[in-house]
Amino acid sequence: MAATQPILFNWQDIDILPDMKRLGQVLKYLPDEDIIKALEHKRGRGRNDYPVVAMWNAVIAGIVFQHRSIEGLVREMLRNPALLHVCGFDSLPMQGKPVTRVRASKETGLSEIISIPGKARDSIPRCWNFYRFLGNLIELEEQQGLVQGMIKTLREQLMLALPDFGQHLGYDGKAIQSHSTGYIKRETGLSSDPDADWGKHETHGIDSKTGKEWNKVKSWFGYGVHVIADTHYEIPVAFHLTPASHSEVVELDGMLDALFEQTPALTDRCEDFSADRGLDSGKLKAKLWDEHQIRPLIDIREMWREEKKMPDYDPSKTITRALNPDRHDNIIHTEKGQVFCVCPQTGEQRALAFHGFESDRDTLKYRCPAAAYGLDCAGRETCSKNAGINVGDFGRVIRIDITKQNRRLFTPTPHGSPSWKRGYNRRSALERINNRIDNNFGFEDHFIRGHANMTTRVGLALAIMMALALGHVVEGRPEQIRSLVKPIPYSDTG
């Protein structure tokens, strides 16, 4: 008798597979009760061949395992019984409903009713079943915003799990192309995605060597995803999707209002907010500090044009202007908000010594660099006389009231200071999040059209990112908080 191989796999072991454990973690920590309840209510008394919970789990699995299309997800389910089991589908074919028929009896010749067993069919839903399910999900998101509700719940749960979550926030906008060329059809006057439009991202500046202006333009047809995230943990906090042409500054202003209204505790917890120079706005910076006591760490655009058009303009020299042009003084500043003094005797420029921000006065405090650093300055006495007071050995003190200066240039944390650089460097977390949206969740190559469809898909991707992070923290794996694809170790599968 030939020997048989022992069974190496048992269906009871499915849950300990690392990939299935990762999916299980998302399903465990995703607050989807309201969505499932709404989907079941929408189905009502309709056919229940494929339960709502199983269909929902499969949709989430398609995102977790990075399937770029429903067809790819269905193919994976056809060859992966472990995935069927975790989602809640039966891997065995379903027996069809019996068919009742009337026929003449061969023995008596009388009519009789017989029941013929129905044909067996696959228990795996097909593409059209998923498309109808997604249509219902998208419709519910338009009406009730349930995916956005999940993100709000996850944000609050992360704040409970991580006492410093939300201390360092940042913003970035991301272009997502629609699965449409933007071509306008003559018959309808619309494109294949009428919700999308053309966006343009323009960057410009002046060459430091030649002094000539340069300009670079990127355009796309689709949408803009506006993301606020924790820049320390690299976890999304909120998002908003608009047609591509919408202004980032305007959208961020509304997002901040909505975010702090939904989660007031985040206002008290947040210490700084970073963004790139595209968000350089005096109104935005003033709002962050004046209304929420949040330090803006936003890069400054170079917008001084008059000096650059002068015939004696030297691109190698930094442009400066008087801090208080209405009076005779030797204190000047650059377009980046850096403050200098000019020696009355030699004309040498020295950066003032920054001595902190006085929040009770809303003033930046600077000291004479000669007094602060023990430097020799030929014009120190003359400079002190310009101050109109006896400065003594401590040296002259310059206080800059940011509420009376250009709010774009002067902020509680001065541009270029060590603390500003540390905070602004954290903003690169947004770029990594955008990279994950593109590469891990497939938004660089997709088949999505329509604002509601895109909003739902982006919202689900970000919610899964947050749920994975929450699970890693709660279950004692903080080192994997940013990981989307790294398997959960066998030792953690319990």
Side-chain angles (χ1 to χ4, degrees), residues 323-353:
L323 179 65
N324 298 299
D326 55 338
R327 71 182 189 188
H328 178 70
D329 203 349
N330 61 324
I331 307 300
I332 60 175
H333 71 94
T334 68
E335 192 173 7
K336 297 292 186 179
Q338 298 164 322
V339 188
F340 296 84
C341 64
V342 181
C343 178
Q345 299 295 329
T346 64
E348 181 183 358
Q349 292 185 13
R350 289 194 180 99
L352 296 185

Side-chain angles (χ1 to χ4, degrees), residues 20-32 56-57 60-61 63-64 154 460 463-469 471 475 484 488:
M20 294 301 112
K21 189 70 176 179
R22 183 158 52 95
L23 173 59
Q25 178 171 301
V26 173
L27 297 176
K28 177 180 178 181
Y29 289 97
L30 206 60
D32 53 9
W56 168 256
N57 291 347
I60 299 302
I63 301 173
V64 172
L154 285 165
L460 288 174
I464 287 171
M465 197 184 300
M466 298 171 75
L468 272 170
E475 297 182 10
L484 298 178
I488 297 174

Side-chain angles (χ1 to χ4, degrees), residues 38-300:
L39 287 168
E40 289 177 338
H41 181 267
K42 190 171 182 63
R43 176 173 287 186
R45 297 185 178 182
R47 291 178 59 176
N48 197 35
D49 294 341
Y50 307 112
V52 166
V53 173
M55 292 290 287
W56 168 256
N57 291 347
V59 169
I60 299 302
I63 301 173
V64 172
F65 297 139
Q66 304 173 15
H67 289 288
R68 64 188 292 265
S69 66
I70 292 297
E71 288 76 6
L73 171 62
V74 172
R75 287 193 294 270
E76 174 72 14
M77 295 175 69
L78 287 170
R79 65 175 178 262
N80 190 345
L83 179 58
L84 289 177
H85 178 83
V86 173
C87 290
F89 294 108
D90 193 342
S91 59
L92 299 176
M94 291 190 300
Q95 183 66 45
K97 292 182 179 179
V99 179
T100 303
R101 292 186 179 175
V102 179
R103 71 176 183 181
S105 173
K106 294 181 180 180
E107 298 177 355
T108 64
L110 299 176
S111 297
E112 61 179 1
I113 299 175
I114 63 171
S115 179
I116 302 175
K119 294 182 179 180
R121 53 192 175 86
D122 288 338
S123 60
I124 303 174
R126 298 303 182 184
C127 297
W128 51 86
N129 302 119
F130 277 110
Y131 284 124
R132 283 197 294 268
F133 183 84
L134 282 172
N136 291 335
L137 178 61
I138 292 166
E139 184 180 340
L140 285 172
E141 178 61 18
E142 277 190 294
Q143 296 171 353
Q144 303 179 36
L146 298 177
V147 175
Q148 286 279 10
M150 280 201 308
I151 290 178
K152 176 180 179 294
T153 303
L154 285 165
R155 179 170 65 235
E156 294 170 350
Q157 291 175 348
L158 282 164
M159 290 179 68
L160 290 174
L162 297 168
D164 57 346
F165 181 77
Q167 280 187 1
H168 309 291
L169 296 180
Y171 165 89
D172 198 14
K174 169 165 180 49
I176 292 187
Q177 292 188 345
S178 169
H179 187 60
S180 170
T181 62
Y183 174 76
I184 304 297
K185 298 179 181 178
R186 293 181 181 178
E187 299 81 6
T188 62
L190 298 172
S191 69
S192 55
D193 187 352
D195 296 336
D197 63 10
W198 286 97
K200 183 174 71 172
H201 185 258
E202 184 174 358
T203 54
H204 55 82
I206 295 181
D207 193 298
S208 59
K209 296 181 178 179
T210 64
K212 295 182 179 179
E213 294 188 4
W214 58 267
N215 190 55
K216 184 179 179 181
V217 179
K218 171 191 174 183
S219 60
W220 74 98
F221 183 80
Y223 301 92
V225 179
H226 310 270
V227 179
I228 296 176
D230 183 290
T231 56
H232 174 67
Y233 290 106
E234 295 184 18
I235 301 175
V237 171
F239 89 100
H240 186 51
L241 186 129
T242 65
S245 62
H246 285 218
S247 166
E248 291 186 349
V249 176
V250 175
E251 294 302 327
L252 176 57
D253 187 74
M255 286 182 70
L256 288 172
D257 290 338
L259 176 62
F260 294 143
E261 181 180 351
Q262 291 176 0
T263 314
L266 195 60
T267 313
D268 300 328
R269 184 176 293 191
C270 182
E271 296 178 356
D272 56 65
F273 192 95
S274 57
D276 62 28
R277 70 181 63 184
L279 280 298
D280 180 26
S281 164
K283 181 180 177 182
L284 174 62
K285 294 177 180 179
K287 177 177 183 173
L288 285 168
W289 177 251
D290 296 346
E291 297 182 17
H292 307 295
Q293 296 293 288
I294 296 173
R295 294 173 178 253
L297 307 177
I298 301 174
D299 201 2
I300 298 175

